[in-house]
Amino acid sequence: MYDQPRPNPAQAAMTFDQMLERVRYEGAYPTRERAEEAVRTVLAALGRQVTGDERVDLAQCLPVEAALALTAQIPDTEQLTGWGFIKDMAVRSDCSPAVARWDTGAVLAAVTALAGPDLLARILQRLPDDYALLFGQAQLRRPQRAAT
């Protein structure tokens, strides 16, 4: 059976080395190894939060090594807020929340470019509101229903 085309065409594919160089540039990391550590840590944390078709589609957009870091994680039963995501990542990687936030911004900038706007919008719809800022996007509030 043939694969069905996805409605979200990704940007031009990037190799894992190109992704690492982009993250290294975005994060101003001194070495490629430090950039790779950030990529693996952030994608593992993201893999615990993103589920469903969005998880599968995101993995397809990423280089194989990055996709494996994302999909090797079992999704958490409870979604974390954006701040909870940063704190959890800081604890798991034994670094400060400031370093975890810096790493997140550098890695998710590359992920955003690879995912494209349609997939990114779908991912952000499934995550708590404050994740938009982690992806470098404007944080739009969802409409609240008026109490009757």
Side-chain angles (χ1 to χ4, degrees):
M1 182 170 193
Y2 297 102
D3 287 336
Q4 297 296 319
R6 296 280 184 183
N8 181 46
Q11 302 296 325
M14 205 183 278
T15 67
F16 190 60
D17 287 335
Q18 290 169 328
M19 183 181 188
L20 291 180
E21 282 307 310
R22 179 165 184 161
V23 169
R24 183 176 177 193
Y25 176 80
E26 291 286 338
Y29 297 117
T31 64
R32 182 181 184 279
E33 291 75 22
R34 177 63 185 96
E36 184 171 354
E37 178 186 332
V39 166
R40 293 189 188 283
T41 301
V42 172
L43 290 178
L46 189 61
R48 290 188 291 275
Q49 299 301 308
V50 177
T51 60
D53 290 341
E54 289 74 22
R55 179 184 173 100
V56 172
D57 292 346
L58 179 58
Q60 288 180 335
C61 294
L62 298 174
V64 172
E65 300 89 339
L68 290 173
L70 177 84
T71 58
Q73 303 301 310
I74 297 171
D76 287 341
T77 55
E78 287 186 42
Q79 278 191 326
L80 299 172
T81 64
W83 176 237
F85 177 86
I86 296 297
K87 289 191 308 185
D88 180 64
M89 201 170 76
V91 168
R92 288 177 189 258
S93 61
D94 194 30
C95 67
S96 72
V99 170
R101 176 61 182 99
W102 185 268
D103 290 351
T104 299
V107 174
L108 294 185
V111 170
T112 296
L114 287 165
D118 295 339
L119 177 56
L120 182 60
R122 288 178 31 224
I123 290 168
L124 291 175
Q125 283 181 331
R126 305 262 325 240
L127 294 170
D129 288 341
D130 53 352
Y131 275 79
L133 293 174
L134 299 179
F135 282 89
Q137 305 294 306
Q139 182 173 341
L140 302 176
R141 302 199 80 184
R142 294 183 183 150
Q144 301 288 325
R145 289 188 176 185
T148 54

